[in-house]
Amino acid sequence: MTDHAPTLRPVRDTAVPDGERVAARCPYCERPFRSDHGRDLHVGERHDPTDAERERYEAALEEERDELWLFHAKAVVALGVIYAATVILYMAVLGTFF
Ligand SMILES: [Zn+2]
């Protein structure tokens, strides 16, 4: 048995890569974030937020839901376009042989 058992979970310490800047930092655990949005979500989910922080968390959550909805809408449109293109291509190929 070795002295250092393999870590099953990633280390909680974070490092900011060179060339990236910290846009926001968690006031409770000092974790760096690329945006206020990410920090607000983290504080609401991982810590006991104050009323103002909870308000920002709920706003960030709402923004996240809107972005997810837009992503789903784009995915549905893309699938529809791919489906239609496939059907048209299939008909064109069949039309050349029959
Ligand atoms: Zn934190």
Side-chain angles (χ1 to χ4, degrees):
M1 196 171 178
T2 58
D3 289 339
H4 302 283
T7 355
L8 297 176
R9 302 161 119 221
V11 180
R12 295 279 308 183
D13 293 342
T14 52
V16 179
D18 292 340
E20 291 205 18
R21 67 179 195 88
V22 176
R25 222 171 247 287
C26 174
Y28 300 95
C29 67
E30 295 289 309
R31 185 174 163 175
F33 289 93
R34 286 196 174 117
S35 65
D36 289 345
H37 178 83
R39 192 260 332 267
D40 294 343
L41 286 172
H42 164 82
V43 168
E45 285 172 7
R46 299 280 175 215
H47 303 288
D48 188 23
T50 62
D51 287 346
E53 286 167 347
R54 176 157 298 284
E55 218 164 88
R56 285 204 304 265
Y57 168 67
E58 278 161 13
L61 206 58
E62 189 62 35
E63 195 181 314
E64 194 106 312
R65 284 192 194 116
D66 290 349
E67 283 172 16
L68 192 60
W69 186 88
L70 191 63
F71 173 77
H72 285 158
K74 285 178 182 173
V76 166
V77 169
L79 281 174
V81 168
I82 290 169
Y83 175 76
T86 306
V87 168
I88 290 167
L89 185 67
Y90 194 67
M91 286 166 61
V93 168
L94 280 183
T96 58
F97 292 114
F98 297 103

